[in-house]
Amino acid sequence: RHNSALDFTLQAEVKRRTDSDRQLQTHFDSEIKSLQDKLNASYAELSGAFKTSLEGLARTVQDLHAIIKEEREQRRADIEHLASSLVNKVNECVGAIDEERVARVEMETKTVRQVGQDLLRLQERLEAEKSTRDGDVNQLRAEIHEVLGNRN
């Protein structure tokens, strides 16, 4: 009987410990599951925040690229405009120099023509005066010879 009571007690203790182990295992499984769920939720939250931050960073980089591209195109347009303006100014200067040169040549031509005409008129007057003087001198000679010839 003592053996049977001891067996009964032993079996009861084994059953109690088995139940206790089972309860402890269930409790730890539940705690591990709870920790895993919390860890998964925390990971999902961090992953979502990281994804949102990464998407924001990607948009910012795209915006920067667009701004840089726009600035580059604006600079190119500004340089082309300045180059065009510079070419136009150079062409204006060349045109003004050419016009001034043509005007100067025309003025010089007009001046030379005027001087030539003045010289021609002066020469004609000199020749006319010389002719008149020569005629007057010849007439005076003729009168002097006539007077001298009448005296003799």
Side-chain angles (χ1 to χ4, degrees):
R1 222 175 156 183
H2 186 51
N3 235 356
S4 145
L6 196 58
D7 278 342
F8 181 72
T9 304
L10 183 63
Q11 283 180 356
E13 184 64 24
V14 167
K15 184 178 178 196
R16 186 186 69 71
R17 285 192 180 183
T18 302
D19 286 344
S20 176
D21 283 347
R22 211 175 291 131
Q23 284 178 349
L24 197 56
Q25 183 67 39
T26 302
H27 175 71
F28 282 136
D29 285 347
S30 173
E31 286 294 317
I32 288 173
K33 172 111 172 81
S34 173
L35 286 173
Q36 278 182 329
D37 289 346
K38 287 179 185 176
L39 184 63
N40 286 342
S42 177
Y43 175 76
E45 183 181 324
L46 285 174
S47 178
F50 179 72
K51 182 179 178 186
T52 301
S53 294
L54 192 59
E55 288 171 352
L57 181 63
R59 280 191 304 274
T60 301
V61 168
Q62 283 178 333
D63 292 346
L64 287 174
H65 281 298
I67 289 169
I68 290 170
K69 182 179 179 184
E70 183 179 320
E71 284 181 2
R72 187 179 299 132
E73 290 172 358
Q74 184 62 45
R75 281 191 191 129
R76 183 175 293 124
D78 289 347
I79 288 171
E80 288 173 1
H81 176 72
L82 288 174
S84 174
S85 294
L86 183 61
V87 166
N88 289 340
K89 290 291 182 188
V90 167
N91 288 339
E92 285 177 19
C93 289
V94 167
I97 289 170
D98 287 345
E99 287 175 12
E100 189 273 334
R101 184 180 298 129
V102 167
R104 191 177 65 240
V105 167
E106 287 175 355
M107 285 294 291
E108 289 172 358
T109 302
K110 184 177 177 183
T111 302
V112 167
R113 186 176 298 131
Q114 186 65 42
V115 168
Q117 289 173 351
D118 289 348
L119 285 174
L120 184 61
R121 271 182 283 178
L122 183 61
Q123 186 177 2
E124 288 172 352
R125 281 184 189 168
L126 286 174
E127 287 177 3
E129 286 179 14
K130 182 181 178 198
S131 179
T132 304
R133 191 175 15 114
D134 286 347
D136 288 347
V137 166
N138 286 337
Q139 185 180 354
L140 186 59
R141 263 191 203 139
E143 289 176 8
I144 290 175
H145 278 333
E146 188 180 310
V147 169
L148 288 177
N150 285 336
R151 254 173 90 184
N152 284 338

